[in-house]
Amino acid sequence: MANLDHIDRRLLAELQDEGRVTNVELAQRVGLTAPPCLRRVRALEEDGVIKGYHAELDASKLGYAITVFALVSLKSQAEESLRQFEEHMRKLPEVRECHMLNGEIDFILKIVSRDLQSFQEFLTSKLTPAPNVASVKTSLTIRTAKQLPGVPLELGEF
């Protein structure tokens, strides 16, 4: 875990909430002048605490009407088999997240698709024939009640 002081944590909280804030505005919000604020942000980037900046896109406005979670079990849990499956998932743009789990299920995937027909085609032509796949169970998202990026950064904790 990175050794962060109160100001670093406030910088992270502000940037996580609003990644497009200007350095001058960010500095004002955390009580710094612009040059030391920029140095601190650059240091957080160089240390890998800040991994990148992203725009939050509206999937439905871009034609992706459905989100599906898939629970995938593999035939083998040998490290090479796991790596092959993970590499295959990295190549599929519809797979937005891929997490290895412990327990009965090996992976959970978050998949976006334009419609049910497109998802069915993806499922039968790309996911189930993937390396080492034993079974796939899917659940279609009906609605999303909460979706937050990042991690909790409550300033009261600092």
Side-chain angles (χ1 to χ4, degrees), residues 9-141:
R9 292 177 189 275
R10 288 190 59 205
L11 287 168
L12 292 172
E14 293 290 340
L15 286 169
Q16 184 170 255
D17 287 342
E18 187 182 351
R20 291 186 62 177
V21 64
T22 66
N23 183 59
V24 171
E25 175 66 23
L26 180 61
Q28 289 174 348
R29 290 181 190 180
V30 300
L32 292 174
T33 59
C37 180
L38 184 59
R39 280 194 297 274
R40 282 176 173 261
V41 171
R42 293 274 193 266
L44 291 166
E45 292 169 346
E46 289 170 10
D47 291 345
V49 175
I50 298 174
K51 294 171 50 174
Y53 299 89
H54 309 278
E56 183 178 347
L57 306 179
D58 186 323
S60 64
K61 289 184 179 178
L62 295 169
Y64 291 93
I66 64 171
T67 300
V68 178
F69 288 92
L71 304 174
V72 180
S73 295
L74 302 181
K75 296 172 190 170
S76 167
Q77 288 73 36
E79 189 60 36
E80 184 58 30
S81 297
L82 297 170
R83 282 195 190 116
Q84 286 176 351
F85 179 80
E86 291 169 339
E87 184 58 34
H88 186 74
M89 292 304 104
R90 285 187 195 98
K91 294 177 185 175
L92 301 175
E94 299 92 341
V95 176
R96 305 311 298 166
E97 295 180 30
C98 175
H99 304 273
M100 186 165 61
L101 306 175
N102 71 342
E104 292 180 40
I105 303 299
D106 295 309
F107 287 91
I108 186 169
L109 310 176
K110 179 181 177 183
I111 303 163
V112 296
S113 191
R114 296 194 179 278
D115 52 41
L116 284 173
Q117 184 177 349
S118 298
F119 174 70
Q120 182 179 3
E121 183 178 317
F122 169 82
L123 181 65
T124 58
S125 68
K126 295 180 181 177
L127 184 54
T128 54
N132 197 33
V133 170
S135 70
V136 177
K137 295 177 182 176
T138 61
S139 292
L140 179 66
T141 301

